[in-house]
């Protein structure tokens, strides 16, 4: 494992090693400001010292972080780890009821949020007596501890935390919740270090790299892959969360970014942007994507627009602390719909009825127990329910070919049975995505008195003036058996998606 990650047994140790060895190297770029490793480390020490000495936050206490991709998120996350507390990043897009449910589950002693986001959580705090401390970024209100003032008061002071072992909890990250309520995956320091090894194997990060970190930091790809692997390489991350094409192209050009790891939805928007200036992306060497299937049309446009970039499709779960497979440009050319093959040392299989399926036979994708997190927070036995013997059942349907390449066919919950015939939503979505007037789409099953179920499609048009649902149906009839053609097509302004790009089909249904 990358020379055992420089002999480090936890991520805090790795962070400190990099900060001490490269104090003047830019660690992060945030809104035209550069923060060196030394500057970030001094802020982290200041906050960790205050957590412990001023507020009595103890080992094992949970600190909820409700922040967008900004430097204060990084500082809060690392400071919590240094104090041996447990950082719990929460989705900034949640509504009050969802925050209320997660607070009841997590029982945080403290919350860190910004003035912009606190309106969603502040009304709830009084009903959760275990939340003793409020830390506000850009907040000057009596009930809130001012984040910047705490940093200033303690800056440049050293903080010596208690020793941390690799099996202690490094963070709790919540799953996307596309198939039910969100569950908090317990991430240990050893899990974080292992995922750095996996990420490095996939992307070949280097010290001179500048990484676009625009996927949400409360999601595993940003927090467990891009950020820690950048630290391992002493490279630089660009923190942002705006993904409009015009903004992105200026951000890449202004920062000299070399890697861009994102979700297919963002790449679809980018490659469909009529005013795209490709020369602004000339510094990029890598574009990678995961989280949901990428359409062949988007992949083709990517290859045409950015021939100077390596394209990588990868697959992972919150429960695996991220990456398990990789499919590179030369492989994608022949297998554009594949997530690739398992990384070295990763046990994966496609199984039917508990046995490994033969090549070409569809089954459920399963992952060896050793790659899975230890538990879900405060949900005893819930993780174990997803195991069949020594194998974790992902809920993803897949096929593996004779060369070991894996092809996802959709979620087991996405299977639509029309008059006894199996229809997979992903197959219909792939056809819809190829229609020239469709920007985004999703397919679900709905009850039908005649067929039991029928296919229903939701489409987001490139232009409301040009879209005609009858034309889309004709397009589908030319490419699909009649029972797979959507019986109903509904036009939406946008498809509800999780931060990782997965369609929230529960909301559509």
């Amino acid at each position: 494992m990358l020379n055992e990650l420089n002999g480090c047994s936890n991520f805090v140790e790795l962070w400190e090693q990099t900060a001490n060895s490269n104090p003047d190297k830019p660690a992060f770029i945030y809104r035209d400001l550069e923060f060196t490793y030394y500057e970030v480390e001094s802020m982290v020490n200041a906050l960790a010292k205050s957590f412990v000495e001023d507020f009595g936050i103890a080992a094992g206490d949970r600190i909820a972080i409700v922040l967008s991709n900004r430097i204060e998120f990084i500082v809060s996350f690392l400071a919590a780890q240094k104090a041996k507390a447990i950082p719990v990043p929460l989705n900034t897009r949640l509504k009050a009821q969802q925050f209320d449910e997660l607070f009841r589950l997590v029982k945080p002693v403290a919350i860190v949020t910004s003035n912009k986001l606190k309106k969603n959580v502040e009304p709830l705090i009084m009903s959760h007596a275990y939340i003793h401390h409020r830390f506000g970024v850009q907040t000057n209100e009596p009930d809130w501890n001012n984040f910047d003032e705490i940093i200033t008061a303690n800056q440049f002071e050293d903080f010596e935390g208690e020793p941390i072992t690799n099996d202690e909890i490094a963070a709790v990250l919540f799953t996307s919740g596309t198939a039910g309520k969100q569950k908090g995956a317990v991430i240990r320091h050893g899990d974080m270090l292992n995922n750095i090894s996996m990420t490095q194997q996939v992307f070949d990060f280097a010290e001179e790299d500048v990484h676009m970190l625009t996927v949400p930091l409360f999601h595993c790809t940003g927090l467990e892959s891009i950020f820690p692997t950048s630290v391992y390489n002493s490279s630089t991350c660009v923190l942002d969360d705006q993904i409009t094409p015009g903004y992105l192209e200026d951000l890449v050009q202004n920062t000299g970014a070399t890697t861009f790891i994102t979700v297919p939805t963002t790449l679809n928007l980018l490659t469909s942007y009529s005013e795209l200036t490709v020369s602004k992306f000339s510094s990029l060497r890598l574009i990678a994507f995961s989280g949901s299937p990428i359409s062949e049309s988007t992949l083709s446009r990517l290859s045409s627009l950015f021939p100077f970039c390596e394209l990588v499709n990868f697959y992972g779960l919150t429960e695996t602390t991220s990456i398990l497979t990789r499919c590179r440009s030369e492989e994608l050319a022949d297998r554009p719909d594949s997530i690739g093959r398992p990384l070295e040392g990763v046990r994966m299989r496609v199984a039917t009825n508990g046995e490994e399926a033969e090549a070409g036979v569809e089954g459920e994708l399963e992952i060896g127990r050793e790659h899975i997190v230890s538990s879900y927070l405060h949900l005893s036995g819930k993780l174990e329910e997803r195991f069949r013997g020594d194998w974790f059942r992902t809920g993803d349907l897949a096929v593996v070919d004779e060369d070991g390449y894996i092809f996802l066919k959709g979620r087991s919950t996405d299977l639509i049975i029309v008059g006894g015939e199996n229809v997979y939503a992903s197959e219909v979505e792939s056809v819809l995505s190829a229609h020239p007037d469709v920007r985004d789409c999703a397919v679900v099953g709905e009850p039908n008195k005649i067929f039991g179920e029928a296919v229903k499609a939701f489409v987001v048009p490139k232009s409301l003036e040009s879209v005609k649902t009858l034309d889309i149906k004709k397009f589908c009839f030319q490419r699909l058996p009649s029972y797979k053609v959507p019986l109903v097509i509904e036009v939406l302004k946008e498809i509800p998606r999780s931060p990782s790009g997965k369609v929230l089909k529960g909301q559509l249904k």
Side-chain angles (χ1 to χ4, degrees):
M1 182 201 289
L2 302 177
N3 297 321
E4 297 303 315
L5 289 167
N6 301 336
C8 297
S9 61
N10 60 76
F11 181 63
V12 172
E13 191 177 352
L14 181 64
W15 163 262
E16 291 176 338
Q17 188 178 94
T18 299
N20 291 333
S21 301
N22 302 271
D24 299 325
K25 178 76 184 290
F28 300 97
I29 299 171
Y30 174 65
R31 301 290 163 88
D32 299 326
L33 297 174
E34 283 191 358
F35 296 86
T36 66
Y37 277 96
Y38 171 77
E39 289 171 327
V40 178
E41 169 69 344
S42 67
M43 289 190 284
V44 169
N45 281 335
L47 187 58
K49 180 181 177 69
S50 187
F51 278 165
V52 174
E53 297 180 6
D54 298 332
F55 298 98
I57 293 175
D61 284 345
R62 288 160 301 281
I63 299 176
I65 301 174
V66 185
L67 289 171
S68 57
N69 287 16
R70 54 189 303 156
I71 194 64
E72 292 87 355
F73 186 114
I74 298 294
V75 172
S76 300
F77 180 81
L78 287 167
Q81 288 190 335
K82 278 203 178 193
K84 290 196 73 168
I86 301 171
V88 185
L90 299 179
N91 187 338
T92 57
R93 303 172 189 174
L94 298 180
K95 304 301 182 184
Q97 181 181 346
Q98 295 164 310
F99 276 120
D100 188 50
E101 292 172 357
L102 291 185
F103 287 164
R104 293 184 192 283
L105 177 65
V106 173
K107 293 181 170 55
V109 303
I111 184 168
V112 185
T113 190
S114 65
N115 193 53
K116 179 180 178 181
L117 294 170
K118 73 181 180 68
K119 65 179 181 295
N120 293 325
V121 298
E122 190 169 29
L124 305 172
I125 292 176
M126 294 302 294
S127 62
H128 296 280
Y130 34 78
I131 302 178
H132 301 303
H133 312 293
R134 313 175 187 187
F135 299 94
V137 175
Q138 297 176 336
T139 298
N140 294 299
E141 295 182 21
D143 292 337
W144 290 79
N145 300 294
N146 185 280
F147 189 96
D148 293 329
E149 289 179 1
I150 292 171
I151 298 296
T152 302
N154 295 289
Q155 203 160 11
F156 308 118
E157 292 189 28
D158 291 333
F159 175 77
E160 190 70 36
E162 295 292 324
I164 301 170
T165 62
N166 65 359
D167 62 350
E168 291 187 66
I169 301 175
V172 172
L173 287 183
F174 278 87
T175 59
S176 298
T178 55
K181 290 188 176 182
Q182 297 184 84
K183 296 176 285 291
V186 174
I187 313 295
R188 298 165 299 185
H189 279 274
D191 298 327
M192 281 195 74
L193 297 181
N194 180 66
N195 195 50
I196 292 172
S197 177
M198 296 294 191
T199 305
Q200 186 65 21
Q201 188 181 152
V202 174
F203 302 129
D204 299 319
F205 281 5
E207 185 175 355
E208 62 271 16
D209 273 325
V210 177
H211 312 288
M212 290 278 284
L213 210 175
T214 56
V215 291
L217 276 166
F218 53 76
H219 184 258
C220 60
T221 300
L223 194 62
E224 304 296 311
S225 294
I226 303 172
F227 158 52
T229 311
S230 175
V231 171
Y232 170 76
N233 285 277
S234 310
S235 48
T236 305
C237 283
V238 179
L239 297 175
D240 215 308
D241 54 9
Q242 296 190 47
I243 58 169
T244 54
Y247 184 88
L248 281 177
E249 64 180 11
D250 289 337
L251 190 62
V252 170
Q253 182 181 47
N254 294 338
T255 59
T258 59
T259 78
F260 184 31
I261 300 168
T262 186
V263 296
T265 307
T266 299
L267 296 176
N268 183 38
L269 289 172
L270 192 65
T271 58
S272 301
Y273 183 48
S274 60
E275 299 177 22
L276 191 72
T277 306
V278 174
S279 61
K280 291 186 176 183
F281 295 88
S282 61
S283 60
L284 286 181
R285 67 167 183 84
L286 168 74
I287 296 176
F289 42 90
S290 185
S292 62
I294 188 167
S295 68
E296 288 193 35
S297 57
T298 298
L299 190 58
S300 176
R301 293 196 301 269
L302 273 176
S303 299
S304 176
L305 288 169
F306 307 110
F308 47 85
C309 285
E310 180 176 18
L311 304 180
V312 176
N313 193 0
F314 63 99
Y315 172 87
L317 305 169
T318 307
E319 289 89 348
T320 65
T321 67
S322 206
I323 303 177
L324 296 170
T325 74
R326 171 190 63 202
C327 199
R328 285 183 155 162
S329 288
E330 61 273 15
E331 299 166 305
L332 285 169
D334 297 325
R335 301 172 175 87
D337 52 343
S338 175
I339 58 170
R341 292 186 286 194
L343 301 177
E344 183 180 349
V346 171
R347 279 199 311 137
M348 298 177 71
R349 72 177 188 178
V350 173
T352 57
N353 300 319
E355 299 293 333
E356 186 164 3
E358 295 181 0
V361 176
E362 187 174 288
E364 184 172 10
L365 189 61
E366 298 182 343
I367 302 165
R369 182 181 292 270
E370 66 273 21
H371 308 301
I372 306 301
V373 297
S374 58
S375 63
Y376 292 130
L377 182 70
H378 296 160
L379 294 173
S380 178
K382 199 70 176 176
L383 185 70
E384 197 61 32
E385 291 176 4
R386 296 188 61 179
F387 279 93
R388 180 192 283 122
D390 200 33
W391 293 93
F392 180 80
R393 303 174 62 178
T394 65
D396 286 321
L397 298 171
V399 170
V400 62
D401 69 13
E402 292 181 351
D403 296 317
Y405 287 89
I406 299 170
F407 300 79
L408 295 182
K409 297 299 180 181
R411 298 285 294 171
S412 57
T413 52
D414 284 348
L415 177 61
I416 307 165
I417 302 177
V418 181
E421 298 283 358
N422 289 352
V423 179
Y424 292 106
S426 59
E427 181 183 3
V428 184
E429 288 164 353
S430 179
V431 171
L432 289 168
S433 295
H435 191 283
D437 292 333
V438 174
R439 180 167 62 83
D440 198 5
C441 66
V443 166
V444 301
E446 66 173 8
N448 183 274
K449 291 181 179 180
I450 298 174
F451 301 109
E453 277 190 295
V455 178
K456 180 176 182 179
F458 299 85
V459 299
V460 178
K462 292 179 180 178
S463 169
L464 284 172
E465 290 75 24
S466 64
V467 68
K468 294 179 180 178
T469 57
L470 183 58
D471 288 345
I472 296 175
K473 276 193 178 184
K474 289 179 180 177
F475 184 85
C476 291
F477 268 114
Q478 293 168 357
R479 292 160 176 80
L480 291 169
S482 58
Y483 65 89
K484 294 184 180 182
V485 174
L487 186 64
V488 176
I489 297 177
E490 185 173 331
V491 177
L492 300 178
K493 290 184 178 179
E494 65 176 6
I495 300 293
R497 291 181 180 270
S498 74
S500 60
K502 296 176 182 176
V503 177
L504 300 174
K505 294 198 174 182
Q507 292 186 20
L508 291 175
K509 292 179 181 180

